[in-house]
Amino acid sequence: MQNETRKLTLGVNIDHIAVLREARKINDPDPLMALAVCAQNGADQITIHLREDRRHIHDEDAKKIICSSPLPVNLECAVDESIIDIVCDLNPHRATLVPERREEVTTEGGLDVAGQKFALDITIEKLHVNNIPVSLFIDPNIEAVEHSKQLNAQMVELHTGHYANIYAMLHSALPHSHHCIEALDLPRDTLEDMLESALANIEHAAKHAQKLGLEVAAGHGLNYHNVHAIVAMDAISELNIGQSIIARSVFSGLAAAVSDMKALCDR
Ligand code: PXP
């Protein structure tokens, strides 16, 4: 008898289409155009991040995307009163709370769930009053999972950036972030141990969250090379992937980029 495997939801993060648009401050390319292509090529969800600095997705984009998306929209946002008010008006299918720092290039780590417990409590309560389910973007550790459960979140998204960085260091010819280059001269054995422990942390956190009744997503830095080990973790039911899909779409088109990733996500 085969074990029953759970379907993996693919959320495509389309922020980078707006990043390209903002490079010229014009209206092209429009992230709205990605919705149908993603839906037709295997995506299960659209993910966008309405940042406080509005560096890519703007309020108007979020509004149009939520109103017209054929797929559920997962809206990432900071724990900030003025943004949360906007999110409540926008009424997405889910809000994912993420840490935000103005000077960061991308979301660098998970929420400080212990340190921010009071602010998170108020924010989650407000979203719930507005019937918006909440996911918390956290580092893959048991303590953060426990805090998320105590805070009444429905879901956690485990930050896979650390795993992705180590994977890139081990395979230096593959896409990697600039700060990985400094660590490329670490011995291979050390990197392999680091990779194993990063994966063990993700799996351990995912299983614990699932045991507590939380839905488990994962994301950040996942690409066509490193996604397989995360797909293999049965406790994870959703992946949110942006950079690698949009990067591939430059060369092969968004339809192929989404369907290639979907094929890798099929368990
Ligand atoms: N999940 C969350 C919570 C994120 O903040 C991001 C980046 O915006 C992603 C997933 C997607 O990460 P990447 O663009 O590296 O695939």
Side-chain angles (χ1 to χ4, degrees), residues 13 15-16 76 98 106-107 137 157 219-221 240-243:
N13 181 316
D15 293 345
H16 290 292
E76 298 173 5
V98 302
T106 180
T107 321
F137 190 42
E157 179 169 340
H220 214 283
N240 289 299
I241 307 180
Q243 169 78 28

Side-chain angles (χ1 to χ4, degrees), residues 1-5:
M1 241 300 255
Q2 253 191 336
N3 279 340
E4 202 187 313
T5 47

Side-chain angles (χ1 to χ4, degrees), residues 38-218:
C38 289
Q40 285 158 14
N41 289 282
D44 305 290
Q45 170 174 280
I46 297 294
T47 293
I48 50 173
H49 185 173
L50 185 65
R51 291 188 69 102
E52 288 177 278
D53 60 12
R54 309 298 200 274
R55 70 169 72 151
H56 39 56
I57 294 291
H58 297 169
D59 300 45
E60 202 50 30
D61 295 320
K63 193 172 171 182
K64 287 187 197 154
I65 288 168
I66 291 166
C67 285
S68 55
S69 175
L71 299 173
V73 177
N74 169 35
L75 182 56
E76 298 173 5
C77 56
V79 185
D80 170 89
E81 203 181 339
S82 58
I83 285 282
I84 297 300
D85 284 343
I86 296 170
V87 171
C88 289
D89 284 344
L90 288 168
N91 194 27
H93 287 81
R94 184 204 304 143
T96 297
L97 299 176
V98 302
E100 235 181 74
R101 287 192 298 119
R102 295 258 163 159
E103 63 280 14
E104 71 190 359
V105 176
T106 180
T107 321
E108 284 162 0
L111 287 162
D112 174 13
V113 256
Q116 269 192 300
K117 228 170 173 180
F118 183 67
L120 277 166
D121 199 25
I122 293 172
T123 304
I124 293 169
E125 174 66 16
K126 190 168 192 171
L127 289 163
H128 283 168
V129 166
N130 285 275
N131 291 319
I132 301 171
V134 178
S135 176
L136 301 182
F137 190 42
I138 58 171
D139 290 321
N141 64 63
I142 299 297
E143 200 196 347
V145 169
E146 296 270 350
H147 283 299
S148 303
K149 178 66 185 172
Q150 285 158 18
L151 280 161
N152 263 335
Q154 278 75 27
M155 185 164 193
V156 288
E157 179 169 340
L158 303 176
H159 198 304
T160 49
H162 180 60
Y163 156 68
N165 282 342
I166 299 167
Y167 191 97
M169 289 179 219
L170 260 169
H171 305 85
S172 53
L174 298 177
H176 56 263
S177 59
H178 297 310
H179 68 265
C180 285
I181 295 169
E182 293 152 25
L184 285 178
D185 54 359
L186 281 175
R188 196 170 174 86
D189 286 359
T190 310
L191 287 172
E192 280 169 355
D193 288 349
M194 286 166 70
L195 191 75
E196 201 176 305
S197 118
L199 280 172
N201 288 343
I202 295 169
E203 180 143 47
H204 196 194
K207 283 185 171 163
H208 192 68
Q210 188 188 39
K211 204 167 74 190
L212 294 180
L214 292 160
E215 278 290 311
V216 189

